[in-house]
């Protein structure tokens, strides 16, 4: 979306719509566990192409992901590690409801941006009842009120209307993010 926010371009990489929860679980499971072995998705390849184009043009990227989008970003970052890339132009990564562990993401981002002059921050937001992020991703809860799985997993971000977020995060509250410090930037990549 050219000139989308404050005159800055916005690029959206969308994973294919699956149509139902069972198919979504199978697709996400394949993407998380088997894509790094058998080849990444088209969404991951498109995302990485945007990153390389941004690098070529000397611009920084702010990446905001939700759920399966975090897998796309993480798989893309792992591809950059394999290729030996160390100056990918990420300036910030925001993980929402992530099935990817935020510490793992922060470690990998630290490696692929180690050639940059500025630090890249990774933030994560996890509702206390979001099993995708807490159970599958192993992420720490950052807040929220007792809510159904569906409501807790689908109401992230500052752009959500208060009519939805008030009962999930608290009156006047939106999803709360925390800065993720990598436990071992030079550690082994999974």
């Amino acid at each position: 979306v050219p000139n989308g926010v404050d005159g800055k371009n916005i690029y959206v990489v969308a994973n294919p719509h699956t149509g139902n929860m069972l198919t979504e679980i199978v697709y996400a499971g394949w993407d998380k566990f088997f894509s790094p072995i058998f080849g990444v998705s088209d969404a991951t390849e498109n995302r990485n192409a945007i990153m390389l184009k941004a690098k070529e043009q000397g611009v920084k990227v702010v990446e905001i992901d939700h759920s399966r989008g975090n897998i796309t970003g993480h798989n893309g970052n792992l591809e950059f590690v394999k290729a030996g890339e160390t100056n990918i132009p990420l300036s910030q990564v925001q993980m929402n409801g992530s099935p990817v562990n935020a510490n793992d993401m922060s470690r990998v981002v630290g490696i692929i941006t180690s050639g940059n002059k500025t630090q890249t921050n990774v933030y994560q937001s996890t509702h206390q009842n979001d099993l995708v992020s807490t159970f599958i991703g192993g992420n720490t809860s950052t807040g929220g009120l007792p809510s159904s799985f569906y409501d807790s997993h689908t109401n992230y971000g500052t752009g959500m209307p208060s009519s939805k977020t008030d009962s999930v995060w608290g009156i006047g509250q939106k999803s709360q993010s925390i800065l993720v410090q990598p436990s071992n930037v030079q550690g082994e990549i999974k």
Side-chain angles (χ1 to χ4, degrees), residues 9 26 42 49 70 113 151 184:
N9 294 338
V26 170
D42 288 344
N70 291 283
T113 62
D151 287 339
N184 180 3

Side-chain angles (χ1 to χ4, degrees), residues 127-129 143-149 151-152 167-169:
H127 189 280
Q128 67 175 346
N129 296 118
L145 300 174
S147 303
S148 71
F149 163 72
D151 287 339
S152 68
S167 63
V168 176
W169 293 98

Side-chain angles (χ1 to χ4, degrees), residues 177-189:
S177 297
I178 59 170
L179 177 64
V180 179
Q181 297 290 343
S183 56
N184 180 3
V185 173
Q186 300 305 318
E188 180 181 336
I189 303 303

